[in-house]
Amino acid sequence: MTILQQLANALAQRTVEVVDLTHTLESRIPVIGLPPQYRQTAPFALDEISNFDERGPSWYWNNFSCGEHTGTHFDAPVHWITGKDYPDGATDTISVQKMIAPACVIDTTDRVKENEDYLLTIADIEEWEEKHGRIPAGSWVLMRTGWSSRQYTDAFLNVREDGGHSPGPAMDVPTFLAKERDVVGFGTEPVGTDAGQAYAFAKPFPCHQNMHGSNKFGLSSLTNLDLLPPTGSILITPPLKIKRGSGSPCRVLALVERGLQL
Ligand code: MN
């Protein structure tokens, strides 16, 4: 049997399961707010064209609109000033080979319960590697936090007077992952890949700055990370093929072998 025949059998027998890591796109999905001097992203909106009525008796369909960075979404390198010149860094030019890749899931749920601003450290990553092995080149690193349970509530953006409060990578982690581990990207559960307070770091927005500066990707607003094993799953993450798109909402799927220890 070929590898793909084995995979087809495993999917049919559900020994390989498909897990949906995506929140549903709807108008109440929260979008990030920027300081007032900057232009803001639009929320997701549906405009019904027809619904089996005088506007179209046999068909239902909608127009939809949203920013590229809405809901569960993919960040392309050209999203950030440090990645703007990569010829293969936009949604239409990224190699499709990179849109299917293994995932390493680092669980920080307990630490985030105690501290909403928890920052994943290199020490956390090295501790994870002692148990699960070195992060393979070309993998996603996903920071599991439990944050997705806050979706559709104010506690998701968790904005206070000094901005958003949500977990993310510590300042030196994105460079470590990009340069020392050659990951394909970094994924998180909150609204963006950087922590809510990352604007105030000595080097602000380290994930955007350094991952995209290294031609790496981001995934944010992921859910169901508790259904993934620490290693052994494969993510399918194709963004929409928008001409020079900086990202797009993404139906993020994971292939998981049943019986792998969660
Ligand atoms: Mn984004």
Side-chain angles (χ1 to χ4, degrees), residues 243-256:
K243 180 88 177 171
R244 224 190 114 63
S246 75
S248 96
C250 190
R251 186 74 182 259
V252 180
L253 302 179
L255 301 182
V256 179

Side-chain angles (χ1 to χ4, degrees), residues 36-251:
Q37 66 268 34
Y38 302 124
R39 196 163 170 219
Q40 306 293 324
T41 183
F44 180 82
L46 266 193
D47 162 36
E48 193 175 80
I49 304 170
S50 68
N51 190 1
F52 317 115
D53 51 25
E54 69 286 353
R55 300 171 298 174
S58 298
W59 49 94
Y60 164 67
W61 55 348
N62 303 292
N63 293 316
F64 72 87
S65 57
C66 64
E68 290 171 329
H69 299 257
T70 305
T72 303
H73 72 273
F74 186 100
D75 285 2
V78 302
H79 178 45
W80 213 252
I81 190 164
T82 46
K84 69 184 178 61
D85 294 325
Y86 283 114
D88 59 346
T91 50
D92 59 326
T93 60
I94 289 168
S95 164
V96 292
Q97 306 296 327
K98 295 183 179 177
M99 296 179 192
I100 302 182
C104 298
V105 183
I106 303 179
D107 186 9
T108 61
T109 306
D110 289 347
R111 277 162 270 196
V112 170
K113 256 181 211 153
E114 285 165 20
N115 176 8
E116 300 180 317
D117 294 305
Y118 186 74
L119 301 177
L120 178 77
T121 63
I122 291 178
D124 291 338
I125 295 169
E126 288 173 341
E127 188 190 317
W128 183 93
E129 287 185 325
E130 274 175 32
K131 271 195 206 158
H132 304 290
R134 190 180 163 98
I135 294 164
S139 301
W140 283 98
V141 170
L142 307 180
M143 182 180 175
R144 176 181 159 194
T145 54
W147 204 260
S148 60
S149 66
R150 299 169 175 237
Q151 185 58 276
Y152 307 120
T153 72
D154 288 344
F156 186 74
L157 296 178
N158 208 27
V159 175
R160 299 206 282 271
E161 261 177 28
D162 60 349
H165 286 265
S166 54
M171 215 163 59
D172 50 354
V173 160
T175 300
F176 173 81
L177 290 177
K179 302 294 184 196
E180 307 293 324
R181 294 296 182 269
D182 195 21
V183 300
V184 72
F186 183 75
T188 60
E189 295 180 54
V191 72
T193 53
D194 269 302
Q197 289 290 296
Y199 77 92
F201 288 0
K203 293 175 185 164
F205 306 113
C207 198
H208 287 79
Q209 191 75 10
N210 299 302
M211 293 298 277
H212 300 331
S214 303
N215 206 13
K216 308 297 189 186
F217 312 142
L219 285 172
S220 48
S221 297
L222 294 168
T223 186
N224 289 332
L225 293 187
D226 56 319
L227 301 180
L228 302 188
T231 63
S233 66
I234 290 185
L235 294 200
I236 305 172
T237 64
L240 294 176
K241 198 171 180 180
I242 299 168
K243 180 88 177 171
R244 224 190 114 63
S246 75
S248 96
C250 190
R251 186 74 182 259

